Amino acid sequence: MYKILIVEDDRGLNQGITLALEREDTALLQAHAAGEAREIFEREQVDMALLDVNLPDGSGYDLLKEIRSHSKIPVLLITANDLESDEITGFSLGADDYITKPFGLMALRARVDRMRLRTGGEPESKKDDYADSRYHFQFEEMRFYVDGQEIVLSKIEQKLLRFFVRNPGQTLTRERLMDVLWGKEAAYVEENALSVAVNRLRRKLEGRAGYRPIETVYGLGYVWEKRA
């Protein structure tokens, strides 16, 4: 399923875009603020993003910079400013296309289809499948292999693993991981729940060699040490 995130604070326009882009092989995710968009990016594997430049809690340009720090998904900017400088700013930050309000929904759909065709229309989840000399993780199919042997992971373990391999070499704080796994419910989750989840995942990833790629950064959190 190809996932498109629509970040637009005008709820009527957001819904109109969603209806215009509906198709059987596409999931439309809606956000009305930058914070909501970040939460969706944390828990979902987004394949394309439509970003309004002016949001109630931030800028679509800032979101674009964050996306480009770790992903090459196609991004279309939506703005009410018909200024060449805004267009140049968007493209310089890595936007793939740009549309100015007011616009026709069918024209927007044509731009989205063109971007999708240009990038092969392959879900980002496929592109982000992980493989090295010991591991092969297929997140979309929920198939996970250690030294050629398939292992079974819980939903929490899958979410945790996916976040680790998407951020290799980065120290991920306990607070950030708690938010990724449980979101707004994190405040009601037992304090040791994260430690239990990490330790269970570590054991399952050991395989024959007993190697554990998730290292503890004492006092901070954890880091995924990628090997060739």
Side-chain angles (χ1 to χ4, degrees), residues 99-119:
I99 195 166
T100 304
K101 301 176 185 176
F103 52 81
L105 292 175
M106 290 304 100
L108 175 66
R109 176 168 177 147
R111 288 172 181 264
V112 168
D113 288 344
R114 183 180 63 185
M115 286 199 305
R116 185 167 174 175
L117 182 63
R118 190 165 62 234
T119 56

Side-chain angles (χ1 to χ4, degrees), residues 6-111:
I6 303 163
V7 188
E8 167 60 60
D9 63 314
D10 183 323
R11 292 179 180 271
L13 179 56
N14 196 315
Q15 186 61 23
I17 294 172
T18 299
L19 293 173
L21 299 182
E22 278 188 344
R23 41 193 282 185
E24 289 184 1
D25 63 347
T26 303
L28 286 309
L29 311 173
Q30 295 175 284
H32 303 97
E36 290 180 28
R38 292 186 179 97
E39 290 179 6
I40 291 174
F41 272 113
E42 294 285 8
R43 67 173 187 265
E44 300 282 354
Q45 198 71 31
V46 176
D47 301 301
M48 180 187 294
L50 279 58
L51 307 180
D52 186 11
V53 169
N54 300 306
L55 296 166
D57 60 344
S59 166
Y61 292 138
D62 291 334
L63 273 178
L64 176 57
K65 286 190 285 186
E66 291 174 29
I67 292 169
R68 284 292 173 259
S69 70
H70 63 80
S71 175
K72 296 180 180 180
I73 63 169
V75 175
L76 181 144
L77 289 178
I78 301 171
T79 180
N81 302 319
D82 188 14
L83 298 175
E84 185 178 11
S85 59
D86 291 326
E87 185 174 351
I88 292 172
T89 298
F91 285 129
S92 68
L93 293 174
D96 295 90
D97 205 346
Y98 188 98
I99 195 166
T100 304
K101 301 176 185 176
F103 52 81
L105 292 175
M106 290 304 100
L108 175 66
R109 176 168 177 147
R111 288 172 181 264

Side-chain angles (χ1 to χ4, degrees), residues 173-201:
T173 64
R174 292 183 61 87
E175 292 77 12
R176 188 176 182 190
L177 291 170
M178 291 284 287
D179 186 59
V180 168
L181 295 181
W182 293 289
K184 296 177 181 178
E185 302 299 319
Y188 307 102
V189 175
E190 292 185 12
E191 187 175 347
N192 70 336
L194 177 61
S195 298
V196 170
V198 170
N199 287 331
R200 285 178 177 169
L201 181 58

Side-chain angles (χ1 to χ4, degrees), residues 133-150:
S133 59
R134 301 197 62 243
Y135 301 120
H136 185 196
F137 306 141
Q138 299 172 293
F139 292 103
E140 190 72 10
E141 292 81 6
M142 294 184 289
R143 306 292 294 271
F144 306 93
Y145 300 88
V146 178
D147 296 328
Q149 299 295 313
E150 188 168 7

